[in-house]
């Protein structure tokens, strides 16, 4: 089963690289090295849809992004992604999103884009031994300080979930992630799409997921989401640099979160080397006016837990 997860992830990656070509089952099976029948059967079993349906969704997603973010003619976009005409793209667009491509370009709104699937996870590599040497090395988590300006956040605050995996027990990952991805063009530069995290309810950590938007955002909020406003604040950033997601994700997350949630800011204080804001002679406390953020981009940014803090004013 794990080998098929690897194979199907390779199929997904190949489809993504060939969306503007003609990603047929025959061509893909030749690239992967399995028969068309086995590719088709295992793709359907693991992804939950046929290759044809998945490819059509991804082409429509990429077309929607080009309509939103470029000034290309809609006809040219339609032909680029395999539609026979602008009318064919319009029919597909209307069926999926309830508006025409022209209307969407004029007034982009949150829509549930068909997202790229991921079917290969760290658990598929457990107890298998090392296949190749990673280009990343595990390190002890570190701490730095970052200032995040005032912003708004559009998300789902779940009072049951305590973490990422738990959150998706209560919400449809494809729909929520697709909606967020469609708002990338309006996302905040610092608190970007898929920057999730934790809020506190009755002193206990609960999870949220969504995206930050600029403080002056006044656009649409998707159904099922809500919007909240947060002031600017300094954050302690507990982090590990880029790492091998499949091999080391669990170890990295455990070490970073262990440091973040057990750090006693009032007792331990902070070293002046972290930021010019820090004065080792002052006292600090966690800033409960803001929420804690999580950045999880393993092989690009690494893993970060951000906890807001503030200086305690002396009387």
């Amino acid at each position: 089963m794990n080998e098929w997860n690897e194979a199907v992830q390779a199929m997904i990656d190949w489809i993504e690289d060939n969306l503007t070509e003609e990603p047929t089952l025959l061509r893909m099976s030749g690239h992967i090295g399995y028969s068309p029948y086995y590719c088709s059967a295992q793709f359907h079993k693991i992804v939950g849809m046929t290759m044809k349906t998945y490819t059509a969704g991804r082409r429509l997603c990429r077309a929607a992004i080009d309509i939103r973010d470029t000034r290309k003619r809609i006809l040219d976009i339609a032909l680029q992604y395999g539609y026979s005409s602008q009318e064919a793209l319009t029919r597909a667009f209307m069926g999926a999103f309830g508006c025409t491509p022209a209307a969407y370009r004029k007034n982009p709104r949150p829509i549930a884009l068909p997202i790229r699937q991921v079917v290969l996870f760290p658990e598929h590599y457990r107890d298998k031994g090392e296949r190749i040497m990673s280009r990343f090395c595990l390190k002890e988590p570190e701490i730095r300080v970052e200032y995040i300006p005032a912003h708004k956040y559009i998300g789902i605050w779940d009072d049951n979930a305590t973490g990422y995996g738990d959150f998706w027990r209560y919400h449809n990952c494809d729909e929520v992630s697709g909606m967020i991805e469609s708002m990338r063009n309006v996302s905040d530069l610092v608190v970007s799409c898929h920057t999730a995290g934790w809020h506190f309810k009755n002193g206990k950590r609960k999870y949220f997921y969504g995206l930050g938007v600029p403080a002056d955002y006044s656009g649409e909020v998707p159904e099922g989401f809500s919007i909240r406003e947060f002031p600017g604040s300094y954050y302690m950033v507990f982090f590990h640099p880029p790492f091998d997601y499949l091999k080391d994700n669990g170890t990295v997350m455990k070490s970073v979160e262990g440091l973040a949630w057990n750090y006693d800011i009032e007792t331990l204080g902070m070293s002046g080397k972290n930021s010019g804001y820090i004065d080792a002679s002052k006292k600090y406390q966690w800033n409960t006016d803001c929420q804690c953020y999580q950045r999880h981009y393993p092989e690009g940014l690494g893993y970060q837990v951000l906890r807001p803090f503030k200086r305690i004013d002396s009387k």
Side-chain angles (χ1 to χ4, degrees):
M1 177 60 72
N2 293 347
E3 291 182 1
W4 271 113
N5 279 80
E6 293 183 53
V8 171
Q9 190 65 61
M11 296 179 203
I12 290 169
D13 296 342
W14 184 87
I15 290 170
E16 202 70 20
D17 291 339
N18 290 272
L19 282 175
T20 58
E21 305 298 329
E22 185 60 36
T24 64
L25 179 59
L26 184 60
R27 284 186 61 211
M28 183 184 71
S29 66
H31 174 77
I32 300 300
Y34 290 93
S35 73
Y37 169 78
Y38 276 109
C39 283
S40 177
Q42 292 299 329
F43 191 98
H44 194 182
K45 180 178 181 179
I46 292 174
V47 179
M49 66 184 78
T50 66
M51 175 189 162
K52 182 178 180 180
T53 299
Y54 176 77
T55 302
R58 288 300 298 153
R59 281 180 152 182
L60 188 59
C61 171
R62 292 271 287 271
I65 292 171
D66 278 5
I67 291 166
R68 184 192 70 195
D69 295 344
T70 76
R71 302 317 301 169
K72 296 179 189 175
R73 294 191 309 166
I74 293 175
L75 172 60
D76 292 337
I77 294 172
L79 298 177
Q80 180 181 2
Y81 289 104
Y83 294 92
S84 60
S85 64
Q86 182 170 333
E87 289 73 22
L89 172 59
T90 298
R91 287 193 298 270
F93 209 93
M94 281 288 295
F97 308 129
C99 64
T100 66
Y104 180 67
R105 169 168 279 177
K106 184 177 180 180
N107 183 30
R109 59 180 179 79
I111 55 178
L113 292 175
I115 63 171
R116 180 176 183 167
Q117 294 291 312
V118 176
V119 299
L120 187 60
F121 299 101
E123 55 264 32
H124 297 126
Y125 269 58
R126 290 175 186 163
D127 304 320
K128 291 182 65 176
E130 303 297 342
R131 293 192 168 191
I132 57 173
M133 182 175 292
S134 173
R135 67 183 188 275
F136 300 111
C137 295
L138 288 183
K139 301 179 179 180
E140 289 297 317
E142 301 178 57
I143 306 172
R144 62 178 173 80
V145 170
E146 177 179 334
Y147 181 77
I148 297 181
H151 60 281
K152 295 177 181 177
Y153 189 92
I154 296 174
I156 300 172
W157 284 265
D158 194 301
D159 290 340
N160 296 308
T162 58
Y164 179 85
D166 197 25
F167 182 86
W168 298 119
R169 292 172 52 203
Y170 306 102
H171 306 279
N172 185 301
C173 181
D174 288 352
E175 291 181 3
V176 172
S177 298
M179 193 69 71
I180 292 169
E181 195 61 31
S182 78
M183 300 184 71
R184 186 172 291 277
N185 62 313
V186 297
S187 66
D188 185 69
L189 294 176
V190 178
V191 185
S192 58
C193 287
H194 308 290
T195 300
W198 297 268
H199 63 110
F200 287 84
K201 186 175 179 64
N202 299 325
K204 296 183 178 180
R205 290 194 303 272
K206 303 297 179 181
Y207 202 72
F208 62 84
Y209 198 88
L211 74 154
V213 291
D216 61 354
Y217 179 80
S218 59
E220 187 175 346
V221 176
E223 183 177 356
F225 291 69
S226 56
I227 187 168
R228 299 182 185 180
E229 188 169 349
F230 295 97
S233 177
Y234 283 92
Y235 288 73
M236 291 196 71
V237 183
F238 304 86
F239 69 96
H240 189 288
F243 59 94
D244 190 317
Y245 170 67
L246 291 175
K247 290 169 47 184
D248 299 321
N249 187 67
T251 300
V252 169
M253 292 186 69
K254 183 177 180 180
S255 65
V256 172
E257 291 181 19
L259 178 60
W261 301 127
N262 292 295
Y263 195 90
D264 188 341
I265 190 173
E266 295 184 23
T267 300
L268 299 178
M270 291 180 289
S271 168
K273 68 181 180 180
N274 286 315
S275 169
Y277 172 82
I278 302 305
D279 181 344
S281 67
K282 303 294 184 181
K283 291 183 177 292
Y284 301 87
Q285 65 185 15
W286 300 120
N287 184 359
T288 56
D289 293 331
C290 298
Q291 55 192 8
C292 302
Y293 285 118
Q294 176 192 55
R295 295 170 177 155
H296 187 233
Y297 305 101
E299 295 181 349
L301 182 69
Y303 184 58
Q304 301 179 358
V305 173
L306 295 82
R307 296 190 66 180
F309 72 94
K310 60 184 178 182
R311 182 179 296 169
I312 299 175
D313 294 328
S314 58
K315 300 295 184 180

